[in-house]
């Protein structure tokens, strides 16, 4: 893999913005495009190359913009197309490129296509969606949508239903229809012509349907089967993804990151190999460990060893094939600090440790807004505080399974998507400095302790640490090894240690050109107590360390929640 063809995006660091919660410039309580423009210098200073912005298209916001009613329009809540063009231009001035969210498995029920389809299901637009007749007065099949309830919604006044994998306001587009596909491709190319660097591609595995919609074995008391089970049994998505790529991204050398769950075994090369469907896909292997029986409200506790194993196995597999996009959190997930760190580690040291591991793995690092200051899950006082459609569904499911109001509140609070959607914490002021008005979603009360303003003043802060970490990853000297260096796990027999080498063979040494070989050790102690480890190699240099008590000499001493990144020299004498 080290010698494989190099792509322009291999060494980039990406930052995800959830625009509604990022920064509000006009006091309406909703983040906006001008808010992103205002913070570009902040992102530049952090070291960001690419910014992925969650959907900003026109939308009724049933699922926070993942229900698009006009693919060519900017939601007025966020601003105008002029604002968007200005954002592109201002970002470019700072060497930052923009990646948009591409939501093409479904659109909004308010989209013109769907409105026309409803008016005339037999007409041209009817075939842009999946309309089917019911069976024996019931839905065409027993699938449960991702947000709860049937995947089939009856069309009033007819014997027909339409299909939706997510909310009923998000009808699925019929990818078997070439005319529909062409309309999407034209739209994608129109955006790429504006100068986007690429797209993050939403829920894309769902586009391929078994159009017979066979009945499945129920997996819950509602008699329905989760739609992901149908996805797992469906093949042929690859052909559609190749068609998409050839007609759009490929012509622009665009960067594409797929949101892919439920891939079949052995398909990774087709997805992200040299000529794969996408540049990269997210590595969700650690996130999938907390899937529950009935969704995510009943998520099991995270086990450190299982987490380590999942990451290590994923890294070992992917390095023979391509690059994955590494995240600890995104807009659908609780905060990484609250999820992947034990309670005693949810502090500055632990936060830096988790960030170091995530950013120095092999792959494309993605940061989610607020991660760089160590934002944490919110304290939720009542289910009424939640806005998210999925959280509301899981709360209902939990109550239905017999949990009391308080129990259901507690379990859903742990995994709610709204943990990631509270306003970005710019300062300790009221509403976290996010808005001068009333925020659409409450700010996390801990903004008085965790915020950008105070961390900018403190040289030892999480924010400054992230800046240093990104600068290290991108430095002339170490860029090569952190981008292309092999991953090898280390100290796997130690109970609380997550450690790995990144190493690069020297190349072209004979001709006097090429690069010198390098070996880096990243070692993190997720335990509470200090540990001492033998060192396999002599220590050339400490590249970064999160605690003064960490020490690397003859042996490696890591304080509880300590992490060190070391450049290795010759093999140590034993
Ligand atoms: O998510 C797709 C998805 O399958 C999971 O995120 C999951 O179903 C969800 O988190 C359940 O809680 C994407 C977007 O990231 C998400 O925000 C959208 O709601 C969804 O697609 C529909 O567009
Ligand atoms: Ca606003």
């Amino acid at each position: 893999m080290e010698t494989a063809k190099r792509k322009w995006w291999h060494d980039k660091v990406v930052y995800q913005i959830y625009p509604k919660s990022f920064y509000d410039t006009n006091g309406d309580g909703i983040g906006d495009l001008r808010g992103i423009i205002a913070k570009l210098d902040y992102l530049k200073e952090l070291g960001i190359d690419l910014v992925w912005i969650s959907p900003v298209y026109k939308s009724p916001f049933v699922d926070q913009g993942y229900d698009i009613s006009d693919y060519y329009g900017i939601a007025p809540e966020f601003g105008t197309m002029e604002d968007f063009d200005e954002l592109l231009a201002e970002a470019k001035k700072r060497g930052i490129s923009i990646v948009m969210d591409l939501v093409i498995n479904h659109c909004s029920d308010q989209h013109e296509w769907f409105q026309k389809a409803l008016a005339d299901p037999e007409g041209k637009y009817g075939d842009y969606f999946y309309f089917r007749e019911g069976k024996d007065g019931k839905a065409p099949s027993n699938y449960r949508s991702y947000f709860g309830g049937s995947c089939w919604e009856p069309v009033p006044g007819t014997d027909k239903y339409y299909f939706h994998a997510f909310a009923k306001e998000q009808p699925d587009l019929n990818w078997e229809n070439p005319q529909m596909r062409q309309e999407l491709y034209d739209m994608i190319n129109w955006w790429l012509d504006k100068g986007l660097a690429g797209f993050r591609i939403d829920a894309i595995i769902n586009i391929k349907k078994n159009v017979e919609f066979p009945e499945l074995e129920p997996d819950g008391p509602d008699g329905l089967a989760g739609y992901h089970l149908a996805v797992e049994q469906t093949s042929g998505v690859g052909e559609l993804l190749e068609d998409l790529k050839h007609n759009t991204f490929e012509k622009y050398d665009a960067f594409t990151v797929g949101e892919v769950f439920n891939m079949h075994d052995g398909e990774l090369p087709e997805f992200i190999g040299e000529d794969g469907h996408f540049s990269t896909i997210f590595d969700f292997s650690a996130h999938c460990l907390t899937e529950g029986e009935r969704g995510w409200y009943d998520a099991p506790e995270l086990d450190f060893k299982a987490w380590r194993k999942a990451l290590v196995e994923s890294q070992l597999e992917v390095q023979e094939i391509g690059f994955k996009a590494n995240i600890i959190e995104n807009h659908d997930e609780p905060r990484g600090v609250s999820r992947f760190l034990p309670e005693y580690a949810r502090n500055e040291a632990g936060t830096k440790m988790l960030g170091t591991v995530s950013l120095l793995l092999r792959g494309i690092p993605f940061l989610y807004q607020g991660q760089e200051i160590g934002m944490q899950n919110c304290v939720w006082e009542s289910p009424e505080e939640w806005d998210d459609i999925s959280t509301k569904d899981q709360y209902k499911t939990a109550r239905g399974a017999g949990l009391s109001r308080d129990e259901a509140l507690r379990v859903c609070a742990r995994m709610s998507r709204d943990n990631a959607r509270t306003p970005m914490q710019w300062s300790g002021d009221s509403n976290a400095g996010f808005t001068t008005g009333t925020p659409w979603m409450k700010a996390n009360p801990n903004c008085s302790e965790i915020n950008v303003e105070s961390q900018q003043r403190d040289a030892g802060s999480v924010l400054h640490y992230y800046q240093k970490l990104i600068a290290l990853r991108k430095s002339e000297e170490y860029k090569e090894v952190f981008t292309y260096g092999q991953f090898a796990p280390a100290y796997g027999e130690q109970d609380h240690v997550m450690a790995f080498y990144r190493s690069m063979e020297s190349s072209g040494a004979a001709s006097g050109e090429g690069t010198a070989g390098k070996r880096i050790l990243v070692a993190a102690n997720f335990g509470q107590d200090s540990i001492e480890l033998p060192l396999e190699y002599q220590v050339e240099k400490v590249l970064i360390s999160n605690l003064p008590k960490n020490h690397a000499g003859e042996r490696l001493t890591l304080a509880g929640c300590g992490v060190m990144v070391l450049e290795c020299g010759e093999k140590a004498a034993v």
Side-chain angles (χ1 to χ4, degrees):
M1 199 55 216
E2 278 181 26
T3 52
K5 207 155 80 205
R6 303 208 159 188
K7 304 273 170 66
W8 66 265
W9 45 266
H10 278 162
D11 57 6
K12 302 296 180 241
V13 177
V14 192
Y15 187 92
Q16 181 190 354
I17 288 181
Y18 196 67
K20 199 166 178 180
S21 306
F22 190 59
Y23 188 52
D24 172 27
T25 55
N26 64 351
D28 65 354
I30 296 175
D32 41 53
L33 291 173
R34 304 217 67 85
I36 303 177
I37 297 173
K39 299 297 183 185
L40 283 171
D41 286 329
Y42 169 80
L43 297 175
K44 174 85 195 154
E45 209 182 331
L46 184 56
I48 300 304
D49 305 297
L50 292 175
V51 171
W52 151 32
I53 308 177
S54 276
V56 292
Y57 312 87
K58 284 205 172 109
S59 165
F61 287 88
V62 167
D63 184 21
Q64 295 304 353
Y66 284 89
D67 47 326
I68 298 172
S69 54
D70 178 4
Y71 287 101
Y72 290 92
I74 297 291
E77 291 86 343
F78 293 146
T80 63
M81 193 58 83
E82 287 69 45
D83 294 334
F84 184 82
D85 292 337
E86 192 178 323
L87 169 60
L88 270 180
E90 288 298 320
K92 193 171 173 188
K93 277 188 204 160
R94 293 162 176 83
I96 295 174
S97 305
I98 303 291
V99 170
M100 278 181 93
D101 217 301
L102 189 60
V103 189
I104 48 178
N105 170 68
H106 46 267
C107 60
S108 161
D109 63 345
Q110 301 305 309
H111 193 286
E112 190 189 342
W113 296 342
F114 191 69
Q115 288 298 312
K116 287 184 173 162
L118 274 185
D120 179 14
E122 306 300 329
K124 169 181 163 188
Y125 290 101
D127 195 46
Y128 275 37
F129 300 90
Y130 295 103
F131 285 89
R132 292 287 187 277
E133 268 162 32
K135 278 189 199 139
D136 317 318
K138 288 199 306 204
S141 68
N142 66 337
Y143 303 165
R144 184 188 315 104
S145 72
Y146 291 113
F147 295 150
S150 172
C151 280
W152 295 99
E153 183 67 13
V155 183
T158 73
D159 56 357
K160 287 198 160 60
Y161 294 72
Y162 69 85
F163 180 89
H164 60 92
F166 293 89
K168 67 178 192 315
E169 295 87 352
Q170 293 168 300
D172 280 43
L173 290 160
N174 176 10
W175 274 75
E176 305 303 323
N177 180 335
Q179 204 176 352
M180 192 293 295
R181 293 205 302 268
Q182 191 56 51
E183 293 218 43
L184 289 182
Y185 301 161
D186 292 345
M187 178 275 293
I188 293 167
N189 292 335
W190 183 84
W191 281 104
L192 287 169
D193 282 331
K194 273 186 176 283
L196 292 185
F199 288 102
R200 174 267 186 185
I201 306 169
D202 188 69
I204 195 67
I205 200 84
N206 298 287
I207 63 173
K208 182 68 191 178
K209 311 282 193 294
N210 177 345
V211 295
E212 303 296 323
F213 299 105
E215 204 77 358
L216 292 174
E217 192 65 41
D219 67 349
D222 55 4
L224 303 177
Y227 182 60
H228 65 278
L229 297 168
V231 173
E232 278 161 21
Q233 291 175 26
T234 305
S235 56
V237 72
E239 273 168 55
L240 292 176
L241 295 178
E242 284 299 287
D243 195 55
L244 166 64
K245 181 181 85 177
H246 292 316
N247 285 288
T248 58
F249 316 135
E250 195 173 61
K251 302 191 242 185
Y252 296 82
D253 195 15
F255 170 70
T256 54
V257 47
E259 187 204 25
V260 179
F261 290 99
N262 308 107
M263 202 171 53
H264 300 146
D265 283 345
E267 275 183 345
L268 197 56
E270 286 158 50
F271 276 77
I272 58 165
E274 183 129 1
D275 288 308
H277 309 318
F278 304 115
S279 309
T280 181
I281 61 173
F282 292 109
D283 189 351
F284 290 121
S285 47
H287 302 77
C288 291
L289 295 173
T290 47
E291 260 163 24
E293 294 276 312
R294 299 261 171 278
W296 53 253
Y297 83 80
D298 55 347
E301 285 299 327
L302 187 96
D303 169 60
F304 173 77
K305 283 185 183 160
W307 174 76
R308 175 173 68 183
K309 183 164 178 273
L311 281 187
V312 166
E313 281 176 1
S314 175
Q315 287 274 300
L316 290 174
E317 180 193 21
V318 71
Q319 67 183 343
E320 307 303 327
I321 296 165
F323 290 79
K324 277 199 184 177
N326 297 321
I327 62 160
I328 60 169
E329 63 207 43
N330 67 24
H331 66 293
D332 291 334
E333 305 288 341
R335 290 288 178 174
V337 169
S338 307
R339 179 186 200 167
F340 296 117
L341 291 174
E343 225 170 300
Y344 60 78
R346 292 174 199 157
N347 51 32
E348 278 193 14
T351 303
K352 292 172 184 173
M353 171 178 71
L354 184 64
T356 310
V357 168
S358 178
L359 264 73
L360 299 184
L361 288 171
R362 189 182 169 288
I364 318 297
F366 273 62
L367 280 76
Y368 179 69
Q369 68 184 41
Q371 177 185 331
E372 74 279 19
I373 55 168
M375 277 179 66
Q376 303 186 1
N377 281 356
C378 196
V379 176
W380 302 100
E381 313 283 354
S382 121
E384 279 76 53
E385 289 180 334
W386 287 322
D387 170 276
D388 170 37
I389 187 168
S390 177
T391 308
K392 288 178 177 166
D393 161 61
Q394 287 292 297
Y395 179 76
K396 212 170 99 191
T397 310
R399 294 286 280 141
L403 273 67
S404 71
R405 184 180 182 279
D406 282 356
E407 280 166 347
L409 177 68
R410 188 178 51 81
V411 291
C412 290
R414 191 162 69 91
M415 296 298 285
S416 171
R417 309 202 297 181
D418 280 338
N419 285 306
R421 301 175 181 188
T422 57
M424 173 71 185
Q425 291 165 206
W426 295 107
S427 77
D429 298 351
S430 62
N431 301 322
F434 158 74
T435 179
T436 55
T438 307
W440 73 277
M441 156 74 61
K442 79 168 186 181
N444 191 326
N446 75 5
C447 69
S448 50
E449 284 117 64
I450 299 176
N451 66 71
V452 171
E453 202 178 70
S454 64
Q455 294 197 18
Q456 276 173 332
R457 281 198 305 263
D458 171 7
S461 67
V462 172
L463 177 61
H464 277 112
Y465 186 89
Y466 261 95
Q467 286 174 353
K468 280 182 221 148
L469 198 56
I470 295 171
L472 169 65
R473 193 185 159 109
K474 291 173 55 170
S475 65
E476 273 316 307
E477 190 165 5
Y478 298 101
K479 185 184 209 141
E480 188 73 11
V481 68
F482 284 126
T483 307
Y484 296 104
Q486 284 279 311
F487 167 94
Y491 304 105
E493 72 293 345
Q494 297 285 333
D495 277 354
H496 304 290
V497 174
M498 170 62 176
F500 52 89
Y501 291 104
R502 298 292 314 278
S503 61
M504 195 79 197
E505 299 287 311
S506 58
S507 72
S511 61
E513 287 167 32
T515 54
K518 268 201 168 45
R519 176 177 283 106
I520 311 290
L521 173 64
V522 179
N525 172 17
F526 279 69
Q528 208 163 359
D529 305 319
S530 145
I531 49 160
E532 221 180 84
L533 300 168
L535 279 165
E536 239 188 306
Y537 299 92
Q538 288 170 21
V539 177
E540 291 269 286
K541 202 170 165 188
V542 176
L543 300 182
I544 198 165
S545 166
N546 70 337
L547 285 171
K549 282 189 206 147
N550 294 333
H551 177 76
E554 292 282 287
R555 292 166 70 79
L556 174 63
T557 308
L558 291 173
C561 301
V563 64
M564 286 190 101
V565 181
L566 306 172
E567 181 166 1
C568 304
E570 299 293 307
K571 267 224 171 250
V574 263

